[in-house]
Each structure stands twice: as structure tokens, then as C-alpha cells.
Amino acid sequence: MTLRDFIDRIRTSGRLTVIKEKVNAEYEAPMIAKNTSGPVLFENINGHRAIMNVLGSRDELGAMLNVNRKDIIQSLSGIQPDGEVRIVDSSPTQEVYVEEVDLYSLPIMTHFEKDGGPYITAGIVVSEYDGVTNASIHRLMVVGKNKLAARLVPPRHTYLLQKEAENNGDPLPVSIVLGPHPAVAFASTTRVGEGKEFNYAAALMGNPVELFECDNGVKTPHSEIVMEGYIYPEERTDEGPFVDITGTYDLVRQEPVITVTKIWHRKDPIYHGILPAGPEHLLMMGVPYEPRIYGAVGEVTKVKNVILTEGGCCYLHAIVQIEKQTEGDAKNAIMAAFAAHTSLKHVIVVDEDIDIFDSDDIEFAMATRVKADSDVMIIPGVRGSSLDPRGGLDGTTTKMGIDATKVLAEKEKFERATMPKNIN
């Protein structure tokens, strides 16, 4: 199960756009991806192949899971990180070995005018230290022929491993995986148990994930390109500006540096790039939280579905659909959603007759079922998202929950008119 298999599948379905003309990695390819619906395969970016928008919509995500787009969350909610992982002696990734590293020779893209430089945006950083493994996507800014500035967010796992290695005076060995099967990339964005990312990917695919060992000891999944290297103690450089999920520029920070010591890749490799603040970025950031919200709300009422909306950056706004049993269920659902995903800013709870994938239907529910003095919860001074430009310097924000459900005792007042299915 490879990225190439997935590309062939979406090509057959007619959802793949192929750009055969020569395209520049600086601005031009990202602009084409931004204006293209669905996956886009570039045949020639500075002489290399590249793909963007791999999981650029819920249709592609559903195709990966073999389910309808509206059933994604129910499917994900039933998958546990218990798939099989196998260690193998060799990999198709090792078809070509590059020892003289020159990152500028790869189709690494510059996306926006104020970007700090070219950015690897789909690189899965696999790190191992003292028997502990982690795999997660980090943005990586090219700062030299063999140097990458890595944004490591505290207190996430790669950050903790790097700090532990640094405190012991050790370099942290890493591999950077580009172009694995999309399930591996998706799994690396999901919060699962320690070291369980590849088990989760195997469960998503229904097939074992095979890992091969790099020369620095890091066990790595098959992919189009693998870079291996180290994060050395105390080495820092400026990272940024970079456009994050809100479409606004994140801060410039001092971040650790990855020194790339060698590169492995398949013959004629396909580079994977994620457009910052584009649909793939939003879905891969947000969708992994939807099953967590679904499960948490299911503990307090009968949950039907959950979506983190694209208008809310697939991160800050949630719509929760419930089958209301008693008054107060919606407010309990709101609190459960905030607890499950602490970066959430606004939550709207609706009934099962509202289509959560239709923004007009959501607005209808708010217009006809909300009484602001009793149905709106305001929660000031709580932890929010560091990505929210409106958040406080201390990371706090004000959250809002809206109960847009029917009043059970008066539910006949909210019955939506329908026409007969059969007319004689």
C-alpha cells in the first residue's frame, strides 16, 4: 500500500488533475493547488514530480477509509491503534541513495509572499530516543543545503523527546518521511498512545505497516523520499514567518535545527506538499479531533455526528449533532466538546434533522431554535488555541457554545414542513 497506489485509485475515479507543463516551486505550484479542486499531480516542478491536495477533501479521506464522506467520523471512532507493524530488511525507498545533500535541488515550495523561505509541509518527523518513538508532521523551513529549522510545539511529543536528548547532551536521531501512503500521514496527525502512530495507520489501512531501519537507527515506513539526520543540542535558528491554518502569519521563533546527513528515495520520486491553510492542511489538522469530540459527547448524550467546519479553519468551530433526550443535553454536549478539544472556540449543537454539512441548515437552526439569553453559553478566561489571532498573550480566550436544538416540550412548533413523496 503506497502513495502511488492511492494516486492510481483517485486517477481512475477521475478526481486527479495532472499538470504536465513545467511549473516553478516558488509560488506557482502552490497557486495552482489553491485554485484546483481535489488532488493535483505536477509532472515537472523544477524537473521533479510532486503532488498536493492528496487528502484535499472529505471525498479523498472517505476513499482512503472506504466509506462515504458523511460516515467518516463514525468509521474513525471505531478504529483502535492496534494494527500490525513489521520490521523489514529493505525498502523500495532505498532505490536511490544521496549522500551529498542539497535540499535546494528538491521541489520544496515557497507558498506566500512573506514566508521565511521554502518549507517542507508534509514531512513526517520520526524520532527515537531511549526506546521511545514518535511520528508527527512538523513544518520544516530550509535554512541551508542540509539544514532545516523545525517548529517543535511544546509540550508535544517530538518537543519532549528533543528536550530530553538535549538535557542529556545527546543529538536526537530523526528521519523525515515524504510521500508514504496517505493513511500513514493521517495517522501521524492523530493523538494516539505513545509510539502507536504506525499501529494506527495499519488499522486505518487494514494492512500491516512495514518499517525499515535507517543508518541512524530510526525505523521508518516506506515512502517516496526519506531524509535522515540529527537535531544537535543547543543549535537554534529563526523559523518563520509561516502561514498556519487560519491563513495568517505565525510568529518568528528560535527553533531547533535538523541536520540532514543523507537522503533515500524511489526512482523518479513523487514529492508531497501540503498547501498551508489549504483544504488538506485543514482536514489533516481538524478531522483527527472529530472522533474525540464524538466519543466525549457520546458519554453525555446520544451523539449522531460531528464536524469541524472549514469556515472555522477545521479547528476552532465544531458542529455537534445529537438526538436530544432531555433538556440540558445540548449544554452537556457543549462542555464535553470543549473538554475533548481544548483549542475549540465556538460549538453549535443541533438536532438530527439538521444537515451539519450544510451551512444554510446550520444558520436555519440558529435562526429558529436559539434564544440568546437562555441558549448561549459564554465562558471567559479559558485556554484557547495559540493559532487564534484573537487569543490573549497568555493563551486564553473566551469561548461560546450555542444550543440550537428544539425545546422538547414544544417540539411541534419546530416541525419542518415536508411534501408528500408520492402524488396520485
Side-chain angles (χ1 to χ4, degrees), residues 17-96:
T17 298
V18 179
I19 306 296
K20 295 184 177 180
E21 298 78 19
K22 185 177 181 180
V23 174
N24 199 295
E26 186 175 21
Y27 307 129
E28 188 177 9
M31 189 177 298
I32 292 171
K34 181 177 177 63
N35 294 315
T36 302
S37 177
V40 53
L41 177 66
F42 298 96
E43 295 284 7
N44 186 358
I45 297 184
N46 303 346
H48 298 269
R49 293 196 293 169
I51 191 164
M52 299 183 76
N53 300 346
V54 175
L55 296 179
S57 77
R58 289 180 187 264
D59 291 320
E60 278 68 57
L61 188 54
M64 185 189 82
L65 297 168
N66 293 309
V67 298
N68 182 280
R69 69 193 304 274
K70 292 190 175 183
D71 299 325
I72 288 170
I73 302 313
Q74 291 89 337
S75 174
L76 288 174
S77 297
I79 298 175
Q80 299 301 315
D82 56 6
E84 182 182 356
V85 175
R86 297 174 182 168
I87 308 299
V88 296
D89 294 330
S90 62
S91 170
T93 310
Q94 296 173 304
E95 289 177 334
V96 179

Side-chain angles (χ1 to χ4, degrees), residues 109-356:
M109 301 175 203
T110 306
H111 305 87
F112 297 95
E113 289 180 332
K114 294 183 180 179
D115 284 359
Y119 264 92
I120 294 174
T121 50
I124 303 167
V125 178
V126 186
S127 51
E128 292 188 20
Y129 188 72
D130 198 22
V132 179
T133 301
N134 182 62
S136 54
I137 291 181
H138 296 274
R139 70 192 198 215
L140 307 169
M141 187 178 84
V142 179
V143 293
K145 289 182 67 172
N146 68 335
K147 300 278 189 177
L148 295 162
R151 169 64 173 141
L152 304 185
V153 180
R156 295 181 183 172
H157 206 169
T158 311
Y159 172 88
L160 295 176
L161 287 177
Q162 191 275 323
K163 292 301 289 185
E164 183 179 358
E166 184 173 70
N167 289 340
N168 291 329
D170 296 329
L172 178 70
V174 299
S175 66
I176 300 167
V177 179
L178 285 159
H181 187 277
V184 175
F186 182 82
S188 72
T189 68
T190 304
R191 302 254 181 116
V192 293
E194 186 177 279
K196 289 290 186 179
E197 291 87 1
F198 299 136
N199 300 88
Y200 185 54
L204 290 172
M205 291 191 292
N207 289 290
V209 167
E210 294 183 341
L211 307 179
F212 70 97
E213 188 168 322
C214 290
D215 289 348
N216 64 359
V218 178
K219 289 171 280 296
T220 303
H222 305 314
S223 60
E224 293 291 315
I225 302 168
V226 166
M227 306 174 184
E228 57 177 286
Y230 297 88
I231 302 176
Y232 290 101
E234 307 299 337
E235 188 174 3
R236 296 286 190 279
T237 192
D238 284 346
E239 183 274 322
F242 179 81
V243 172
D244 222 307
I245 58 169
T246 57
T248 56
Y249 288 98
D250 198 5
L251 304 174
V252 176
R253 300 177 179 85
Q254 285 279 299
E255 293 289 348
V257 174
I258 298 176
T259 299
V260 180
T261 54
K262 59 191 65 175
I263 297 175
W264 305 91
H265 64 76
R266 298 192 65 175
K267 293 176 182 177
D268 194 17
I270 303 172
Y271 176 87
H272 179 203
I274 294 175
L275 178 66
E280 185 172 21
H281 187 187
L282 298 181
L283 285 176
M284 291 185 73
M285 279 281 287
V287 170
Y289 285 98
E290 292 175 352
R292 296 181 64 180
I293 298 169
Y294 183 92
V297 174
E299 295 291 323
V300 298
T301 189
K302 191 170 183 180
V303 62
K304 304 297 288 185
N305 213 340
V306 171
I307 184 173
L308 290 166
T309 66
E310 290 188 26
C313 307
C314 285
Y315 205 65
L316 301 176
H317 286 182
I319 311 298
V320 178
Q321 184 188 58
I322 67 171
E323 184 179 329
K324 191 172 175 179
Q325 308 294 306
T326 64
E327 293 301 337
D329 280 357
K331 290 184 174 62
N332 284 339
I334 289 167
M335 292 186 289
F338 282 138
H341 178 27
T342 54
S343 291
L344 272 181
K345 188 175 181 180
H346 301 138
V347 176
I348 302 173
V349 181
V350 298
D351 297 296
E352 67 270 26
D353 65 330
I354 299 298
D355 183 355
I356 65 171

